[in-house]
Amino acid sequence: MNILETLNMAVATLLLNKQRSGLTMLGIIIGSASVISIVGVGQAGQKLALEQLNSLGPNVLFVNPGAKDTRNMSIEPPKTLVLSDAQAIASQVPAVAKVAPQLNLRDLISYRGRNAVELVFGVTPDFLTVRNYEIAQGRFFSEPDLQRNSRVVVLGPDLKERLFKEENAIGKQIRIKQESFEVIGIMKPKGSFLNTNQDLVAYVPLTTMANQLVGRTSPYGTQVTFIAVSARDPNSIKAAQFQIENLLRLRHNITGEDDFNVETQKDILQIVDQITTGLILMLSLIAGISLLVGGIGIMNIMLVSITERTQEIGLRKAIGASERDILQQFLIEALILSIVGGCFGIFLGGGVITLIGIASPLSPNLSPLAIIIAVGTSSGIGLFFGVFPAKQAAALEPIVALKRN
């Protein structure tokens, strides 16, 4: 028998038991769909993380207080960075273009009975440039506002909507921690980053924040939560990191472990990649269990099929079919079940990805890599689990097979 005849016979045999063939493929379908969905969503998550990191600002670095290990273990962030550190970086580091220190607070913000407990960021005028923000309405505060400790505030678009609805907010007075502030501007939408809605934030001058809302919390000067730094260009990022670390070690008289750490977008992206890759691998292994169960199901059904078709096998061998012919037919049947199951799994996984794209901010796509993995794995499983029953069928003696009922 040639391969085409064997293929036709295998297809005809499977079609005679459509329901059983469909149930046999179910494990492969579910496993393949899981792999497709997991890889697609994982890649979409990595893409979204990259877009959010790029939205932080061009060539940006973050100077955080405390060593990395200290920050991981401590509930309360260390208070080792002050405003004068940011000023020194701006004036003494050649590779730096702009510096934007930031002091964070979460407190009650209210306007005429409408209340919201949200983040308040104390920042400087260079915040817009360093962090790549834009004003949609009004203005951002200026250097004189910083010097005079002005009680002015710029609102994120979502916070403006929550407090003012359709009302014009410019020029109105809101209260932050029981202090009155004049609204002078509204930000353009920025979206969320690391579970923080950047549009649900109020921005005030850093000096006003430190002197009138937070108070002096560091013995070395005006404390800042972190310092955002914009390098002159992408090629200057490493130089800026090196120069900032050397400057702060001198300023803080450090001889041992640093009391700060400098992170670049690349560092953060590597952490995100490690987390998402780990999750993808873990979930793919779970999906692989479904494929394994599907393979065992194929082997089980093929063994049952051999028992049912013993006399057929004996008759075919009696009229001249070789062991190779029998082996080939049963292997092809197993491969058809696994490949067709894998294809249905691709369609199901594509549907799941589409629904996820509609219901979430992710934009997952049907990955060619995931398709290759799903089809290749399902085919390999079908072949692997089909070998044993195929060999068992091929080894049957014609006379013995014909005598079985």
Side-chain angles (χ1 to χ4, degrees), residues 53-121:
L53 285 172
N54 289 333
S55 75
L56 292 176
N59 313 320
V60 70
L61 304 88
F62 292 95
V63 185
N64 301 302
K68 285 187 178 181
D69 292 341
T70 305
R71 289 177 61 83
N72 292 336
M73 293 185 295
S74 176
I75 297 175
E76 182 70 22
K79 300 173 182 178
T80 56
L81 288 180
V82 292
L83 182 58
S84 58
D85 288 328
Q87 293 167 340
I89 292 171
S91 61
Q92 299 178 38
V93 176
V96 164
K98 296 283 185 180
V99 176
Q102 184 170 318
L103 179 56
N104 296 350
L105 168 72
R106 184 181 291 275
D107 216 310
L108 179 67
I109 305 171
S110 59
Y111 173 74
R112 292 185 179 178
R114 297 182 189 134
N115 301 317
V117 177
E118 300 297 343
L119 284 169
V120 183
F121 290 170

Side-chain angles (χ1 to χ4, degrees), residues 12 21 84 103 135 144 160 169 297 325 342 356 363 370 378 393-394:
S21 298
S84 58
L103 179 56
I135 289 288
K160 182 267 176 189
D325 292 330
I356 291 172
S363 301
S378 60

